[in-house]
Amino acid sequence: MPGGIIGKKIGMTRIFDEDGVIVPVTVIEAGPCFVVQKKTQHTDGYEALQLGFIRKPLVKCNRPLKGHLEKHGSKSGFQYLKEFRVGGAENYLPGQEITVEQFAIGDRLDVIGVSKGKGFAGTVKRWHFHRGPMTHGSMSHRAPGSIGASAYPSRVFKGKRLPGHMGNVRVTVKNLEVIDVRPEDNLLLVKGAVPGPRQGLLLIKKAG
Amino acid sequence: MERLVQLSREQMRADLPDFRPGDTVEVHVRIVEGEKERIQMFKGVVIRKRGGLTGATFTVRKVSYGVGVERLFPLHSPNIERVVILSRGRVRQSRLFYLRQRSGKAARIKEKRTPLA
């Protein structure tokens, strides 16, 4: 199995383990995915599998996508296509089903998603700066304060933490433990939080 | 969301009696000490019940040797052996935090008068 799968975040809940300890888990609906394209050393210069997630009829795909799918002999269209690096991509069959069964309880996973957008955020929210006093005549409530010295260097250093757009970026959370796998519902329960909103698209890979 | 609720249902317990804030209960908790496992009891008044699927909790308050002790239990924890209702209390609030400011006679709770079954 390729060690990767595409999924959708369902949400978070808590679960009791066998000792009765509460474990926070994220429920992910992962797969079934289908192999669409095999990329090999010979043809592409590297080995990878392109997987399709969530079927949709071919007629609903736009023409470039339809052409791509038909070229590789895919019978149905997909909402999402994502690529996973694997060794031995040759050994997979086009259309082969990839499910959560490849993961076992206790495995470690890296989960990639797009974080929730926070818009234009100040330094307090974005970089956890302290805020100034709210009273006693203070006028610097949530201001960033000094952003550097004056005549020398006469400029602001690159990388200085300032207000700006926050969130809506690709985030990887590493080393999440698999708490439960349910192939019958295509569900994956991992310990801890993953980036993005509910129903957000996630890429799940074996850690390491 | 629907599926999240469904998934949580599996973990939730339906075997516990329906107790409410104001009730005096005895909570039997399973405690593992190294190899040994034993049951510990905690007797007191339920002063709060909080909802939320598997995350539901309740707080039991008792006064032990003149010191108020409150313990928070996850309602659906498998470590709760059983909950025994000793008496039903008649209270008007759902959160009985006012008991913390009271002691002795003032901290009593009237027993609920139930129609004869």
Side-chain angles (χ1 to χ4, degrees), chain B residues 62-74:
Chain B
K62 73 168 174 185
V63 177
S64 171
Y65 299 104
V67 183
V69 179
E70 283 179 19
R71 204 165 153 189
L72 189 102
F73 298 98

Side-chain angles (χ1 to χ4, degrees), chain B:
Chain B
M1 207 58 216
E2 191 79 348
R3 252 183 307 177
L4 212 58
V5 174
Q6 231 172 48
L7 198 86
S8 306
R9 285 267 147 75
E10 297 170 19
Q11 291 253 323
M12 286 158 72
R13 301 176 56 159
D15 56 321
L16 296 178
D18 179 34
F19 56 90
R20 309 170 131 240
D23 295 353
T24 305
V25 294
E26 204 174 61
V27 187
H28 296 238
V29 201
R30 209 172 288 134
I31 287 184
V32 180
E33 287 168 329
E35 291 286 283
K36 270 190 281 182
E37 196 184 280
R38 63 187 182 85
I39 306 280
Q40 194 183 60
M41 276 186 289
F42 192 88
K43 190 175 130 188
V45 182
V46 178
I47 62 165
R48 152 168 62 187
K49 249 183 119 175
R50 241 196 61 204
L53 300 175
T54 43
T57 61
F58 63 98
T59 308
V60 181
R61 177 183 170 85
K62 73 168 174 185
V63 177
S64 171
Y65 299 104
V67 183
V69 179
E70 283 179 19
R71 204 165 153 189
L72 189 102
F73 298 98
L75 184 61
H76 301 290
S77 168
N79 283 348
I80 292 180
E81 179 71 23
R82 63 203 175 101
V83 177
V84 183
I85 301 171
L86 300 176
S87 73
R88 301 265 185 189
R90 199 193 89 87
V91 290
R92 302 173 75 150
Q93 265 71 33
S94 63
R95 310 278 145 112
L96 310 180
F97 300 146
Y98 66 85
L99 286 180
R100 291 172 182 163
Q101 274 82 49
R102 303 199 183 173
S103 63
K105 273 190 175 181
R108 284 174 306 173
I109 288 178
K110 260 194 198 157
E111 193 155 341
K112 202 187 229 168
R113 288 174 55 191
T114 44
L116 294 168

Side-chain angles (χ1 to χ4, degrees), chain A residues 48 61 73 91-92 95 124 139 157 168 183 202 204:
Chain A
C61 300
N91 308 327
Y92 294 89
V124 175
M139 298 208 288
F157 288 122
N168 196 19
L202 300 171
I204 301 138

Side-chain angles (χ1 to χ4, degrees), chain A residues 54-70:
Chain A
I54 304 185
R55 281 199 154 127
K56 67 172 178 177
L58 265 180
V59 288
K60 296 251 175 152
C61 300
N62 60 22
R63 286 175 119 184
L65 178 60
K66 201 174 155 193
H68 169 72
L69 291 165
E70 278 171 352

Side-chain angles (χ1 to χ4, degrees), chain A:
Chain A
M1 284 311 223
I5 201 165
I6 312 169
K8 240 180 190 184
K9 176 165 161 181
I10 302 288
M12 288 194 75
T13 183
R14 332 184 192 182
I15 282 218
F16 294 96
D17 71 4
E18 59 270 24
D19 297 328
V21 178
I22 292 172
V23 183
V25 294
T26 305
V27 184
I28 301 169
E29 184 187 9
C33 295
F34 300 91
V35 176
V36 173
Q37 185 189 2
K38 295 188 284 189
K39 299 202 169 184
T40 58
Q41 196 71 39
H42 179 64
T43 53
D44 304 275
Y46 64 99
E47 302 239 331
L49 284 180
Q50 190 180 59
L51 301 184
F53 180 50
I54 304 185
R55 281 199 154 127
K56 67 172 178 177
L58 265 180
V59 288
K60 296 251 175 152
C61 300
N62 60 22
R63 286 175 119 184
L65 178 60
K66 201 174 155 193
H68 169 72
L69 291 165
E70 278 171 352
K71 183 178 163 192
H72 296 283
S74 179
K75 302 268 190 305
S76 93
F78 293 102
Q79 264 182 38
Y80 303 103
L81 292 178
K82 294 284 170 190
E83 206 174 289
F84 289 87
R85 289 285 194 114
V86 287
E90 290 282 354
N91 308 327
Y92 294 89
L93 300 165
Q96 187 178 336
E97 196 174 343
I98 309 286
T99 64
V100 287
E101 284 177 59
Q102 58 179 312
F103 304 117
I105 293 169
D107 280 2
R108 296 287 179 160
L109 303 179
D110 292 346
V111 179
I112 302 165
V114 175
S115 62
K116 280 185 188 173
K118 308 287 180 194
F120 193 96
T123 48
V124 175
K125 187 186 186 105
R126 195 174 182 213
W127 300 110
H128 303 135
F129 282 17
H130 294 286
R131 64 161 171 70
M134 297 309 275
T135 55
H136 297 286
S138 161
M139 298 208 288
S140 81
H141 302 310
R142 294 174 72 93
S146 166
I147 57 169
S150 178
Y152 181 79
S154 285
R155 63 188 175 92
V156 176
F157 288 122
K158 277 198 172 165
K160 173 72 199 143
R161 295 172 298 170
L162 288 170
H165 193 275
M166 183 182 174
N168 196 19
V169 290
R170 180 185 158 109
V171 176
T172 308
V173 180
K174 290 183 171 180
N175 237 359
L176 297 176
E177 190 185 341
V178 177
I179 299 297
D180 202 358
V181 182
R182 306 195 175 185
E184 66 279 8
D185 300 323
N186 293 312
L187 290 184
L188 203 57
L189 274 62
V190 297
K191 183 175 176 179
V194 305
R198 287 186 203 135
Q199 299 299 322
L201 192 73
L202 300 171
L203 300 188
I204 301 138
K205 295 176 179 175
K206 282 233 166 86

